[in-house]
Amino acid sequence: MTNNKNFPTSKLISVNGVELEVFEAGQENKGGPIILCHGWPEHAYSWRYQVAPLVEAGYHVIIPNQRGYGNSSCPEEVTQYDIEHLTGDLVALLDYYGYKNAVFMGHDWGASVVWSMALLHPERVKKMVNLCLPYQVRGEKPWIDFMEEFLGEDYYFVHFNKQPGVADAILNANTSQFLNNLYRKNVPAQGPSEGMEMINLANATVALGEPVMSDDDLSVYISGFKQNGFTPSINWYRNLNRNWHLLGEVSPIVHQKTLMVYGEKDVIPPLPNIKDFVPNIDVKTLDTGHWIQEERPEELNQMILQWLEK
């Protein structure tokens, strides 16, 4: 189910041992693929404002609901959501369409998958655009251990790993309320709160700030998570330490031309020394929060298209 009349209808494609629900536009531009990767807790539909401008610019736009989302497969086994599987799905998608490589664009967790594509399958990535989430440096300690040390056991990444099932159940019980509270902009600054942030959002009866999207658009997300529950998508987080080990074998330098766009009001901080790891990067910012492609679609589209053209 999608509500935007310009958003393509989906088809199920069998790749890499799963079925992915894929939304596709601009088939007439075959030969110029761009693959858009959504974040958490999102949906392919989060790219609805980017489709028409990209098609007009000559791109064959391919937007998967990644494994665990929408009508795509939701494997039971936690390790089926590690970075080898997530990037493997995209490699298999390229193979399905007969493409050697593509431009990849990712937001949030989708950006993490795109960064990893460049590390694990560099020959399949032509250029990259990543929103909000910068390159993640692989430090001395696995990521969840590192986060627990610095951010505590209530930090949601850590909580998802240390208390499996707890948050999932609360988010599942409050799906509409959680997503409505999460997809907000211009939220007044809050002091540090006790407990786990995502559980607090799921339980909050008053939404702060202003909605990022219409109720109609939000209903696409709500129905997707009511269908699958949150466990499949949260399993992405439960592989962070595993991913740290998997990425230990590859060079940490990304050589592709990359555009990184930060939201100035986002809580995710920029990586100051990103050029050390991504030498061919252009860094831009927009006056927006985390839901960048929905909050500021026109400015973002213009920025992306200008960068892709040069």
Side-chain angles (χ1 to χ4, degrees), residues 11-22:
K11 61 178 178 183
L12 285 175
I13 295 176
S14 294
V15 289
N16 200 29
V18 290
E19 283 201 313
L20 293 184
E21 181 181 24
V22 177

Side-chain angles (χ1 to χ4, degrees), residues 283-299:
V283 178
K284 309 264 186 200
T285 59
L286 277 176
D287 179 23
T288 172
H290 185 66
W291 313 111
I292 194 163
Q293 71 272 44
E294 300 181 87
E295 288 183 51
R296 286 265 189 266
E298 287 82 12
E299 295 100 312

Side-chain angles (χ1 to χ4, degrees), residues 57-71:
Y59 286 93
H60 177 195
V61 181
I62 299 164
I63 317 176
N65 258 332
Q66 296 176 87
R67 59 170 69 198
Y69 289 86
N71 291 320

